[in-house]
Amino acid sequence: FPELNALHPGRIVNQTNGVTPRRWLKMSNRPLADLITKSIGPGWEDDLDRLKGLEKFSDDKGFQGEFDAAKRVNKVALAAWIEAECGVKVSPDALFDVQIKRIHEYKRQLLNILQTVSHYQRIKANPGAAWVPRVKIFGGKSAPGYAVAKEIIHLINDVAAVINADTEVGDLLKVV
């Protein structure tokens, strides 16, 4: 916003919520944080530029295998949490498509669930095709009086009930 800053110098102030991205990564994704530390050494949590040191591992098959293993640990944990909390069994081998944010008409949850319905219909029309198994994960809340957002939430839950109960689709598509 250079033009706005020129008009009102000092008005734009960069603030975080108090947790730096690197500290958040270290706390929330221990397997990946450990791999980063093993690869570029400790101290990256205090210096974002140090993560550039990972570039040299982009073609390293050993690093890629460890990265995949770290990702797998988290997907298995998320799949277990989804089953325990939502009662939906999902495969950790599926592609996880996640949209978590406050529910609004303009934040594309409606487009996302309509795309999910379209994907479901394509699977039903051609169940033998080489579909990539997919888990669509929606999360968010709406303001108490926001009627349209509540209807979007109802639609997501109704679509999930139909898709998740369809044995023909099975693990090719799940909605949580």
Side-chain angles (χ1 to χ4, degrees):
F1 303 95
E3 296 85 3
L4 182 61
N5 191 51
L7 286 171
H8 306 284
R11 183 182 285 182
I12 299 173
V13 179
N14 182 21
Q15 294 179 341
T16 70
N17 65 359
V19 179
T20 65
R22 296 155 316 281
R23 284 181 47 225
W24 181 84
L25 171 63
K26 188 163 184 166
M27 291 185 299
S28 68
N29 192 341
R30 197 74 187 137
L32 180 57
D34 291 344
L35 176 59
I36 292 170
T37 300
K38 176 183 165 195
S39 301
I40 63 173
W44 56 269
E45 307 88 343
D46 298 322
D47 183 4
L48 186 60
D49 292 331
R50 296 243 355 254
L51 294 178
K52 285 184 182 272
L54 293 172
E55 289 176 352
K56 65 184 173 192
F57 299 101
S58 63
D59 294 325
D60 183 314
K61 297 295 182 200
F63 179 86
Q64 291 172 1
E66 290 182 69
F67 180 83
D68 288 345
K71 187 165 61 169
R72 174 105 178 130
V73 166
N74 289 319
K75 287 183 79 175
V76 167
L78 179 55
W81 184 88
I82 289 170
E83 186 172 10
E85 294 296 320
C86 304
V88 179
K89 186 169 179 54
V90 300
S91 170
D93 296 319
L95 186 149
F96 285 15
D97 182 346
V98 182
Q99 185 180 26
I100 299 175
K101 52 178 57 192
R102 195 160 177 97
I103 309 291
H104 283 287
E105 290 172 85
Y106 62 86
K107 290 207 175 172
R108 300 194 178 128
Q109 290 98 339
L110 180 58
L111 288 175
N112 194 347
I113 196 63
L114 291 175
Q115 186 277 332
T116 303
V117 170
S118 172
H119 189 67
Y120 172 70
Q121 290 173 333
R122 289 192 314 268
I123 292 171
K124 292 291 283 184
N126 190 3
W131 299 105
V132 173
R134 183 177 306 251
V135 178
K136 302 281 280 192
I137 302 170
F138 293 85
K141 63 180 182 175
S142 70
Y146 195 172
V148 174
K150 289 182 177 287
E151 289 303 316
I152 292 170
I153 294 168
H154 287 133
L155 177 62
I156 291 168
N157 283 298
D158 289 347
V159 168
V162 170
I163 291 174
N164 295 341
D166 190 330
T167 56
E168 184 181 14
V169 171
D171 282 341
L172 292 178
L173 183 61
K174 294 289 184 186
V175 181
V176 182

